[in-house]
Amino acid sequence: MADNATHSYISSFFLVGIPGLQAFHCWIGIPVCLLFALALLGNSVIIITIKIEPSLHQPMYFFLCMLAVNDMALVSSTAPKMLGIFWLDAHKFDFSTCLAQMYFIHTFCIIESALLVAMAFDRYVAICIPLRYTTILTTPMVTKMGLACVIRATFMVLPCPLLIKRLPYYTKYVINHAYCEHMAVVKLASANTLINRAYGISVALSVMVLDLGLIATSYFKILQAVFRLSSQNARSKALGTCAAHVCTLLVFYTPALFSFLTHRIGKKVPPSIHIIFASLYLLVPPTVNPLVYGVKTKQIRDRVVSLFLSNKILSGN
C-alpha cells in the first residue's frame, strides 16, 4: 500500500461512448431508444400473452417467458446509461455502479445462453422422445432448470467484480466503451491483471464451448430423428417447430462471437466497430426475440392478433 502516499484511488470512470463517433452520439441515441422501447414492449406482450392463454402453459412457452424476462432485464441494464451518454453527456459513472452494471450485464448474457440450451433440450425431447415429453419436462423440472440457469450465471460472474475490487486504479479512468465491459475496466488497472484476464477468458470460453456444444448435440439428435421420418410433411412440421429457436440462436451468438474474437485477436478492427457490435449484441436479441417467436409461433401469433382485434372492437363500440 506504499503507493497510497503518492496516489489516490479514483472514485468514478468516464465512459466515452463510441470513440471517433462522438459527433453523432445524438443520432446514434435514436435507434438505441427505439430498440429499448421495442424490447420492453415486445417482451411484455410475450409475457402477458403466455400468462393469459391457458393453451400456452407448456414447457416451451415457460422457457420463452423466462427468456423474455431476462431480455427485459438485460436491455434495461444497458440502454438507459447509453442514452444518458448519447443525449445528456452523462459520461461519469461511479466506480461501484460501474462494477454493478458490468456484473448484471454479463450475468444476464450467461443466463440467456443457458436458457437457449434449455430450449434446445425442450425441442430435443419434443421431437426425439415425444411420448415422454410431459413426464420429463414437468413444471417443477422447468422451474429447476430456470433456477439452475440463474445460479450458474450468478456464481460464474461473481468473481469478476470481486477480483476487480482488489486492483488499484490511480490514473486511468477513461473507458472507451458505451457501457462497463469487463475487459475494458480491467485494462485500466495500475497493476498486474493476469488473473482477471485469465478468469474472464475462461468464463467466456467455457460458456461458449459448453452451451454451443450442448445445443449442437441436441440439434444433431433432432436431425437424426427428423430424417428417419418417412413423411416429408412430418419432417417439415418437426423442423418448423425449431425455426424460431434457430433464428434466436443466430441473433444471439453471431454478434457475441464477433465481439469476443475482435476483442481478443482483432487488433486491426477499429474500436468504434467493436463497440457498435458489442452494443448490438446487448440490444438486438432482446428486441428481435419476441418478433421472431411472434411471427414463427402460430399459437402466440394467433393469440396476439385476437387480443388486438378484440381491443379494437371494444374501442370501436
Side-chain angles (χ1 to χ4, degrees):
M1 299 297 290
D3 286 336
N4 284 346
T6 55
H7 297 286
S8 59
Y9 287 99
I10 63 171
S11 59
S12 61
F13 291 113
F14 183 92
L15 284 167
V16 172
I18 302 179
L21 298 177
Q22 287 91 331
F24 302 98
H25 273 179
C26 60
W27 298 106
I28 295 171
I30 295 173
V32 170
C33 184
L34 287 174
L35 289 172
F36 183 35
L38 287 172
L40 294 180
L41 176 62
N43 286 293
S44 297
V45 169
I46 290 290
I47 293 167
I48 293 168
T49 302
I50 292 172
K51 182 179 180 180
I52 66 176
E53 179 54 53
S55 66
L56 297 178
H57 293 176
Q58 301 173 31
M60 182 176 79
Y61 301 109
F62 291 151
F63 285 128
L64 179 57
C65 204
M66 294 179 196
L67 188 70
V69 171
N70 188 72
D71 280 341
M72 292 175 72
L74 176 58
V75 77
S76 297
S77 66
T78 312
K81 183 58 185 177
M82 285 185 181
L83 293 174
I85 294 170
F86 296 150
W87 285 349
L88 304 176
D89 287 331
H91 295 274
K92 191 176 179 182
F93 214 7
D94 180 75
F95 186 90
S96 298
T97 309
C98 183
L99 292 189
Q101 187 197 45
M102 180 198 75
Y103 174 77
F104 285 116
I105 286 174
H106 292 296
T107 298
F108 293 139
C109 285
I110 294 177
I111 291 173
E112 182 110 353
S113 183
L115 286 172
L116 292 176
V117 174
M119 295 168 85
F121 178 70
D122 169 85
R123 292 298 83 209
Y124 161 74
V125 176
I127 293 172
C128 297
I129 40 177
L131 296 179
R132 297 180 59 195
Y133 183 77
T134 55
T135 57
I136 293 175
L137 288 172
T138 60
T139 301
M141 177 57 70
V142 171
T143 304
K144 289 175 184 176
M145 289 173 70
L147 285 173
C149 294
V150 174
I151 292 169
R152 182 189 77 151
T154 300
F155 286 101
M156 283 189 83
V157 182
L158 186 59
C160 292
L162 295 179
L163 287 170
I164 288 175
K165 287 283 282 186
R166 73 178 180 84
L167 295 173
Y169 285 82
Y170 295 139
T171 57
K172 297 178 181 179
Y173 61 93
V174 177
I175 300 176
N176 289 308
H177 219 298
Y179 60 89
C180 289
E181 196 268 341
H182 177 249
M183 291 302 294
V185 175
V186 167
K187 286 178 180 179
L188 301 181
S190 304
N192 189 310
T193 59
L194 179 62
I195 294 175
N196 300 73
R197 292 170 184 268
Y199 185 77
I201 291 172
S202 65
V203 168
L205 284 176
S206 63
V207 169
M208 286 272 190
V209 172
L210 177 62
D211 290 1
L212 286 175
L214 290 172
I215 290 169
T217 302
S218 295
Y219 273 98
F220 177 74
K221 295 289 187 181
I222 287 170
L223 289 174
Q224 278 186 324
V226 167
F227 287 119
R228 281 199 294 264
L229 297 172
S230 57
S231 168
Q232 180 63 39
N233 185 49
R235 291 180 187 176
S236 300
K237 189 175 180 181
L239 291 174
T241 63
C242 302
H245 185 246
V246 171
C247 290
T248 303
L249 290 173
L250 292 173
V251 169
F252 180 74
Y253 283 111
T254 302
L257 286 169
F258 181 87
S259 179
F260 176 80
L261 292 173
T262 55
H263 203 83
R264 268 77 184 181
I265 60 177
K267 302 299 183 182
K268 294 183 179 180
V269 177
S272 59
I273 300 298
H274 164 69
I275 292 167
I276 288 170
F277 266 88
S279 301
L280 289 175
Y281 164 57
L282 300 180
L283 297 173
V284 172
T287 306
V288 173
N289 287 346
L291 297 175
V292 168
Y293 275 94
V295 171
K296 294 287 186 181
T297 309
K298 185 178 185 299
Q299 294 93 323
I300 293 177
R301 184 175 68 246
D302 292 347
R303 184 55 181 167
V304 170
V305 169
S306 66
L307 281 173
F308 277 102
L309 285 176
S310 62
N311 288 335
K312 189 175 181 179
I313 290 170
L314 287 172
S315 61
N317 294 335

